[in-house]
Amino acid sequence: MDIEPDMTRAMKTFNRVPRYGTAVGRIMMHEATMLNWQRIERLIESRFEDCITVLIDTEYGPFLEGATVAAEVEAGLMAFLKSQYELLDAICAGTFVPDFMHLKYDFHNIKVFLKLSRGESGAEPMLSGLGSLDTERLASAVEGEGGTLGPYWEGLIRDLKEESDAIDGPGAVDTVADRVFLEKRLAIAGKEKSRLLVDFSRAAIDVANLKTLLRGRVLGKPPEYFADALAAGGRLDRSELVGLAGDPPDRFSARLLATRYGGMLEEVLHSEDRQVRLTSLDRDSDEFLLEKLAGMRRMALGPERIVMYMLKRENEVTLLRVVLMGKLHGVSAPVIERRLSSTYTRGGVQV
Amino acid sequence: MAGRLPVNPNRMELLRLRRRLTIARRGHKLLKDKFDELMKRFQKAVAESLALREEVERSLAEAYELFALARSETSEAELDEALSFPEANAELRAGKANVVSVVVPELELGERGRFDSYGLALTPSLLDESLAMYDRVLPEMVRLAASERAVKILADEIERTRRRVNALEYVLIPQLEETIRFITMKLDEFERANLTRLMKIKEMVSE
Amino acid sequence: MVGAVAQAAQGAAQASTWGGLTGFQWAIFGAAVAFIGGGMGSAIGITYVSNVASGILVEDPDKFGSLLPLLAIPGTQGIYGLITAILVTIFFDLAKLTGLNGLLVFFSCLPVAFVCLVSAIYQGLTAASASAMVARRTEELGKAMVLPALVETYAVFSLILTIYLFTRIPK
């Protein structure tokens, strides 16, 4: 966010490589250590103990060594992700990339403090260790004491607070913050004039909006919920989506299928198999976003490659979590594989 | 064999015992009927509760598997944050019901809030389904709790009733019968002794 | 009319200056442009690769040997520029060069100047991308070299063309 927005496009092309070249070089070495599909397949086939043994030889080795229960696996994976974010902060200091990547976790922490400040009963939720903002300062900023986080964050927190206070119910903070997160991320990408990151952020907004719309209808959310929850900036017009929320089912699905995401939604809307309906939206939307990421390889030497690497690592961590937790909870191999099917792993993990 | 009661063998006692026997027989019959009825209810309750338990366990296992998948798709912190301030709360109403004069508990789940008080955009879709499943299972779990408790109470009651029936059937009634027979025999004996004595006296008088 | 134009052309061919510059000046101009193009391109191209390579070397210094060819390959365009510049002085008797022939030398230098400038920059980008293959497996160097080498062919073609054009210009 400290980046000069008025850099001309022509200068950018020439600046890109000197600015990001070294970081990209280091990322290339880390890309080489990602798990390949054969290894993932072996993990799916093995028992939990063997999974850990397989992973000992990888980047995950030091973090997962000796893990036997779910909590240790979770802690190990989080520590690994933390190490990746530390790498990112080290190699991309002074650029927008850390801001772009940390945003999600900063919003997570903001949500936690906002929820606590609303004073709704419940246990204190977990903070994320991957945010870029100091949590104590964040807490005091949410309390309304200014002057510690700078005008950008303080203004943002104030807006979030006002908007979520206007809505009833415990879901308000999540509803508003998730939407603002997606819009802010798009704004960062737009400020940087990175076409691929803008594309990715817009696609992420579309996917999130579709998920909200489909799930919200199943859960019977009221129409005003969609006006609060759907984010602007995607390729699908927000106001049209809000209008769609009240349509009868056949008209609703017909209009969704007519959008550019129709192919992705076909299974979700029409499949007879309940398992398919349940998992295909998440899986297909992940696959769709990963395909967007694959497009970033063309910009081989810019910040996009670094973002791609980070997102793929996050995806890999999620994938490992699905496999390892699945093993620990006795989920059968075919069920695990169905959730991870085809490009989710093949396209997502191989560099 | 049941011993006889320590009573004086006289006619008063006999009448009293006869009355007791009639009452015991009637009581036995009533208890026996109650026992049969309880048995019938019990068997039905057990079958119901077993079926319910099977169903609840199956639903829970399924919900658990879905939830395990859903939770593995996000970090623990994210899930924790998403579910930390639930709107849903449950209100449990407890009452009593009478089954063949046995008091069994009756549980009912009252007003509940919505469980979906988390953001839909960034959480896994499986979460909806697994939580909806838990939501559907909860009333059944409450029903199962009531039904299993009722089965336990019925079982205790049946045990008690059977002990009573058995006590009547194998102890009290035989004892009474034995005693009555004893008193009758004793009385007969007295009668005969009396007769003999009278005959003897008559003989002595006539000599 | 036609005769007049032909005569004027004949006159221009014999003239010692063209457009205010002598043949000698045109030829030197051409030599300088050839090297400016090649040299600048190579400098930029090598900067690109070395930026990425330095990142790789931070993670694994042992890769230096296998990255060296990729680092060096955008440098060839600078050499082509230099060769062209030197050939101008060797091929032609600069002092006696007419204005028009000097202009032709200048034009002949342009393929090297432009093609080498652009190809070196893009070769730098290609080599930087290809170094990802070396980063993954050192043995992939052979394959990784093919990609920038394809770009290289056009720099070579431009050099060949320039030299061929030199041979066609009357000394």
Side-chain angles (χ1 to χ4, degrees):
Chain A
M1 268 145 276
D2 317 305
I3 308 296
E4 295 288 340
D6 53 357
M7 263 196 305
T8 61
R9 273 194 81 73
M11 278 304 289
K12 274 175 64 73
T13 326
F14 287 96
N15 268 336
R16 265 198 135 80
V17 180
R19 187 185 275 264
Y20 295 105
T22 310
V24 168
R26 295 189 65 174
I27 288 299
M28 281 173 175
M29 287 302 288
H30 286 273
E31 276 174 352
T33 64
M34 292 189 77
L35 303 180
N36 56 21
W37 173 240
Q38 287 82 359
R39 201 161 260 184
I40 300 288
E41 231 168 23
R42 251 175 76 199
L43 289 181
I44 295 175
E45 302 300 321
S46 319
R47 290 177 309 123
F48 177 78
E49 294 75 26
D50 302 331
C51 286
I52 298 293
T53 318
V54 169
L55 287 171
I56 288 293
D57 301 331
T58 67
E59 295 279 283
Y60 293 93
F63 299 95
L64 288 178
E65 200 170 357
T68 49
V69 295
E72 286 168 359
V73 170
E74 176 71 26
L77 290 176
M78 279 297 117
F80 173 77
L81 214 49
K82 176 115 183 116
S83 77
Q84 294 295 306
Y85 270 90
E86 278 162 5
L87 172 78
L88 174 77
D89 291 341
I91 66 179
C92 289
T95 70
F96 77 102
V97 184
D99 295 333
F100 187 85
M101 291 308 303
H102 279 299
L103 194 68
K104 183 174 158 197
Y105 301 101
D106 283 329
F107 262 86
H108 170 93
N109 288 346
I110 291 175
K111 283 198 285 190
V112 169
F113 287 122
L114 277 177
K115 282 187 171 184
L116 285 175
S117 80
R118 276 169 76 103
E120 279 145 1
S121 62
E124 190 162 327
M126 270 165 88
L127 288 166
S128 169
L130 300 176
S132 64
L133 302 174
D134 182 57
T135 48
E136 273 173 36
R137 285 203 213 161
L138 194 56
S140 64
V142 172
E143 291 303 312
E145 298 160 27
T148 49
L149 284 179
Y152 177 85
W153 286 108
E154 277 163 18
L156 196 144
I157 290 168
R158 209 167 32 247
D159 291 348
L160 280 179
K161 212 171 177 176
E162 269 172 28
E163 211 179 327
S164 59
D165 281 346
I167 308 171
D168 266 353
V173 172
D174 284 328
T175 307
V176 174
D178 287 353
R179 190 198 70 218
V180 176
F181 155 66
L182 290 166
E183 290 171 355
K184 289 285 171 197
R185 192 168 67 173
L186 175 63
I188 294 179
K191 205 166 166 184
E192 205 49 34
K193 296 199 180 68
S194 164
R195 197 179 55 76
L196 281 166
L197 289 182
V198 168
D199 265 6
F200 172 78
S201 305
R202 293 186 73 178
I205 288 179
D206 282 336
V207 164
N209 281 350
L210 287 173
K211 269 172 91 169
T212 306
L213 199 57
L214 285 167
R215 296 169 67 186
R217 274 177 68 99
V218 172
L219 294 169
K221 295 276 190 191
E224 50 290 2
Y225 170 81
F226 296 103
D228 292 326
L230 296 179
R235 295 211 180 272
L236 303 176
D237 186 57
R238 175 176 173 276
S239 49
E240 253 177 54
L241 287 178
V242 173
L244 234 130
D247 277 352
D250 44 338
R251 194 172 138 75
F252 173 77
S253 51
R255 280 176 69 181
L256 274 189
L257 287 176
T259 64
R260 59 172 65 218
Y261 299 101
M264 192 173 97
L265 299 169
E266 180 82 37
E267 274 195 330
V268 188
L269 292 169
H270 291 308
S271 177
E272 299 291 320
D273 186 349
R274 187 169 140 277
Q275 277 283 350
V276 171
R277 274 206 312 280
L278 285 179
T279 49
S280 67
L281 179 60
D282 281 357
R283 198 194 55 220
D284 292 354
S285 58
D286 284 353
E287 279 177 12
F288 174 74
L289 288 180
L290 284 168
E291 275 163 28
K292 280 269 162 212
L293 285 183
M296 292 187 193
R297 292 196 62 198
R298 281 180 290 146
M299 304 292 278
L301 304 168
E304 291 84 359
R305 185 162 192 147
I306 302 164
V307 171
M308 177 182 85
Y309 168 76
M310 290 305 294
L311 291 171
K312 280 192 169 180
R313 269 298 190 199
E314 284 191 351
N315 187 52
E316 189 184 72
V317 166
T318 303
L319 186 150
L320 273 183
R321 194 191 288 113
V322 170
V323 174
L324 292 177
M325 295 293 183
K327 294 282 163 209
L328 278 175
H329 292 121
V331 179
S332 61
V335 174
I336 294 176
E337 199 158 6
R338 186 159 52 223
R339 178 60 188 89
L340 306 177
S341 85
S342 63
T343 38
Y344 187 91
T345 37
R346 277 175 223 273
V349 172
Q350 268 182 337
V351 184
Chain B
M1 200 59 221
R4 61 189 151 79
L5 298 167
V7 287
N8 291 326
N10 53 35
R11 209 156 286 275
M12 267 291 275
E13 207 59 44
L14 182 65
L15 281 174
R16 211 169 59 80
L17 284 178
R18 282 224 172 106
R19 215 162 36 237
R20 274 186 69 190
L21 182 63
T22 334
I23 293 170
R25 284 221 169 104
R26 198 184 307 143
H28 174 254
K29 189 181 171 318
L30 281 174
L31 276 176
K32 185 86 181 155
D33 284 353
K34 180 182 173 185
F35 177 79
D36 289 347
E37 183 60 26
L38 275 177
M39 225 26 214
K40 225 163 69 191
R41 298 280 180 111
F42 177 73
Q43 271 159 1
K44 219 174 108 207
V46 164
E48 261 176 23
S49 132
L50 272 181
L52 195 58
R53 170 160 280 275
E54 220 166 82
E55 198 187 312
V56 165
E57 273 175 0
R58 207 187 44 241
S59 310
L60 275 181
E62 204 178 336
Y64 184 73
E65 187 178 292
L66 278 182
F67 189 72
L69 268 180
R71 70 174 290 183
S72 59
E73 279 173 39
T74 53
S75 71
E76 198 185 345
E78 277 169 281
L79 193 73
D80 195 59
E81 186 276 325
L83 302 179
S84 56
F85 291 110
E87 194 182 356
N89 47 24
E91 185 188 303
L92 194 64
R93 276 198 295 271
K96 289 175 185 172
N98 199 325
V99 178
V100 202
S101 74
V102 180
V103 177
V104 295
E106 209 177 40
L107 299 175
E108 202 189 339
L109 215 49
E111 278 292 295
R112 281 183 298 155
R114 299 178 61 90
F115 63 87
D116 52 344
S117 54
Y118 46 84
L120 299 181
L122 302 173
T123 49
S125 316
L126 272 180
L127 199 58
D128 298 351
E129 187 59 24
S130 65
L131 291 182
M133 239 170 181
Y134 279 123
D135 198 54
R136 280 198 297 275
V137 178
L138 189 60
E140 305 218 323
M141 280 170 77
V142 170
R143 253 183 353 118
L144 179 66
S147 138
E148 290 199 333
R149 182 73 202 141
V151 166
K152 176 95 178 62
I153 292 174
L154 279 179
D156 286 351
E157 186 63 27
I158 285 172
E159 183 60 33
R160 211 165 27 241
T161 314
R162 198 184 40 210
R163 227 177 292 129
R164 279 193 202 150
V165 170
N166 284 349
L168 283 176
E169 191 173 338
Y170 297 115
V171 181
L172 190 59
I173 292 176
Q175 264 179 358
L176 287 173
E177 281 172 344
E178 177 75 18
T179 314
I180 287 168
R181 199 163 41 246
F182 165 72
I183 293 176
T184 323
M185 268 162 59
K186 268 285 187 225
L187 286 178
D188 284 355
E189 208 171 307
F190 284 149
E191 195 83 355
R192 274 195 298 278
N194 219 9
L195 202 64
T196 330
R197 204 159 46 238
L198 282 174
M199 282 168 72
K200 193 87 183 172
I201 290 169
K202 194 181 171 193
E203 216 171 273
M204 281 163 70
V205 169
S206 63
E207 267 174 22
Chain C
M1 185 66 190
V2 174
V5 172
Q7 203 169 17
Q10 190 69 22
Q14 301 304 323
S16 62
T17 65
W18 198 96
L21 289 180
T22 63
F24 177 75
Q25 286 166 326
W26 275 118
I28 294 295
F29 188 21
V33 166
F35 185 71
I36 287 171
M40 271 175 62
S42 287
I44 296 171
I46 289 179
T47 309
Y48 285 175
V49 202
S50 55
N51 259 307
V52 173
S54 68
I56 296 178
L57 293 176
V58 168
E59 298 287 334
D60 183 5
D62 296 340
K63 299 258 185 212
F64 181 73
S66 38
L67 282 173
L68 200 56
L70 285 173
L71 279 166
I73 199 165
T76 52
Q77 278 86 339
I79 299 173
Y80 299 159
L82 188 64
I83 291 172
T84 309
I86 291 171
L87 280 182
V88 169
T89 59
I90 294 173
F91 251 69
F92 304 104
D93 188 355
L94 293 176
K96 288 184 193 150
L97 215 54
T98 63
L100 185 69
N101 282 349
L103 184 70
L104 291 178
V105 170
F106 170 72
F107 279 129
S108 306
C109 286
L110 291 186
V112 163
F114 285 109
V115 174
C116 284
L117 172 66
V118 175
S119 70
I121 294 172
Y122 278 99
Q123 195 172 38
L125 291 173
T126 314
S129 306
S131 55
M133 293 164 78
V134 180
R136 190 160 354 132
R137 287 187 50 188
T138 312
E139 303 83 68
E140 302 260 294
L141 177 63
K143 277 188 215 161
M145 282 298 287
V146 172
L147 308 178
L150 288 174
V151 183
E152 181 73 17
T153 51
Y154 290 89
V156 175
F157 288 159
S158 73
L159 181 66
I160 292 171
L161 179 65
T162 295
I163 293 173
Y164 175 70
L165 291 177
F166 282 174
T167 63
R168 307 298 291 173
I169 298 169
K171 300 205 167 68

